[in-house]
Amino acid sequence: MTALTPQNTPLLGFIGFGAMATRMGVHLRNAGYGVIAYTPSGKSGDPAVEILPTARAVAEKADVVIACVPDDEALEASMYGENGALVGMKAGGVLLNTSSVSPEATDALLAAGRAKGVTVLDAPVSGSTPEAEAHALVILVGGSVEDVANAAPIFDTIGKLTIHAGPSGSGAKLKLVVNGIMGAGLTALAETVSYGLASGLDRSMLFDALDQVAVISPHHKRKLRAAKTGDFTSQFPSRLMQKDMRLLVDAIARQAIPAPTLAGALQVLSLGRHAHPNDDYSAAIAIMERFAANDA
């Protein structure tokens, strides 16, 4: 397979073109790739990108297809059926699935691609919209060494680092691990902040102190700073964080591994999804603050 450079694969077709994909698309266009897309709404955040009416139409026209959809259901709707991307792809084509979906959906797409002679790489990304904009995403890829190397020019264009997680399916599994740590860390912060406030600590002092200690990751410090000011502008919406934790808890249960911490975190994130589905998932901190104020 020839490396997927702008010279060899000039046109990339996105299936799903939301907040993350539009930012990836900017980097790819700046590198010399052409970009087209399909979105269920028919709208694009980038007026320079042509939006086609179906996923199939994108796949028929593009040299490489990049899926970037929110969940298993959206992946199924856009990949299969008479207007799905797989129908439009030809043998020898390449499909890069950057979506965060279940291992089962990942395996099903791989099998469907193989049946058509299409190379499918599961390549979810670690990072939110600030990382996507700053070319700071980490791409977590499952697939053969050769296929991952051939796709490297695209991955290098949208991210700062590509991790080859192992054979097909490994990228999707690693993404669940990463997001599980992220979600559980945020819920631990939300609960301990709630305790600090309920016990009488000054709110500004508490948030400022937590911003200085080494035990909190830079990602979660960013969430704390947003929560301090009540700014829950979405970088990673609550509905998607809860979805990823739900997929992880389900996957762990299938392995019969006890994970009470993650199961508990899912409940807090479910509160966040219920109350603030489209706000950033750090809104869970505000929910727990209301408990501290006896205003839940």
Side-chain angles (χ1 to χ4, degrees):
M1 184 187 295
T2 305
L4 305 181
T5 64
Q7 294 73 33
N8 296 324
T9 57
L11 188 60
L12 306 180
F14 275 90
I15 308 301
F17 206 57
M20 293 292 287
T22 53
R23 288 164 170 82
M24 295 181 202
V26 169
H27 295 306
L28 291 164
R29 289 196 295 105
N30 288 342
Y33 292 96
V35 176
I36 57 175
Y38 161 75
T39 64
S41 68
K43 299 177 181 179
S44 169
D46 185 345
V49 173
E50 179 186 7
I51 301 298
L52 275 63
T54 65
R56 176 177 179 172
V58 168
E60 288 173 341
K61 192 172 181 180
D63 297 298
V64 173
V65 174
I66 303 175
C68 189
V69 298
D71 51 34
D72 288 17
E73 293 76 16
L75 187 69
E76 181 175 357
S78 61
M79 291 293 112
Y80 308 112
E82 64 178 351
N83 287 317
L86 283 173
V87 173
M89 296 190 72
K90 300 177 180 65
V94 176
L95 170 58
L96 308 179
N97 182 21
T98 67
S99 315
S100 297
V101 294
S102 70
E104 292 76 23
T106 300
D107 291 344
L109 185 59
L110 174 65
R114 282 176 174 166
K116 285 214 64 173
V118 170
T119 296
V120 179
L121 294 178
D122 50 295
V125 299
S126 178
S128 302
T129 50
E131 286 78 20
E133 193 159 342
H135 187 259
L137 294 172
V138 177
I139 298 90
L140 316 171
V141 191
S144 72
V145 172
E146 180 184 7
D147 290 339
V148 173
N150 289 334
I154 292 176
F155 297 144
D156 291 346
T157 302
I158 64 175
K160 67 175 183 179
L161 175 68
T162 298
I163 296 174
H164 185 192
S168 297
S170 301
K173 294 171 184 175
L174 180 56
K175 177 60 185 292
L176 292 184
V177 172
V178 170
N179 278 19
I181 294 169
M182 184 168 68
L186 191 282
T187 59
L189 280 176
E191 292 175 3
T192 50
V193 164
S194 178
Y195 158 73
L197 296 175
S199 69
L201 292 178
D202 177 77
R203 186 178 187 276
S204 291
M205 180 283 299
L206 176 60
F207 278 82
D208 290 346
L210 294 175
D211 196 33
Q212 298 300 317
V213 296
V215 297
I216 299 176
S217 72
H219 171 84
H220 288 120
K221 286 182 178 181
R222 188 170 77 202
K223 299 305 180 187
L224 278 168
R225 288 192 289 270
K228 181 183 178 183
T229 62
D231 179 8
F232 299 112
T233 302
S234 183
Q235 296 175 352
F236 186 20
S238 296
R239 57 186 172 81
L240 296 185
M241 181 71 255
Q242 188 267 358
K243 177 265 299 181
D244 285 353
M245 186 64 81
R246 172 177 55 81
L247 292 178
L248 175 59
V249 170
D250 178 70
I252 289 174
R254 293 172 187 269
Q255 298 295 330
I257 294 173
T261 299
L262 296 173
L266 175 58
Q267 303 311 307
V268 176
L269 294 171
S270 293
L271 281 173
R273 176 171 184 165
H274 178 76
H276 301 272
N278 295 311
D279 291 333
D280 192 80
Y281 84 106
S282 56
I285 297 174
I287 292 173
M288 294 306 297
E289 278 199 68
R290 292 201 292 272
F291 281 100
N294 293 315
D295 191 31

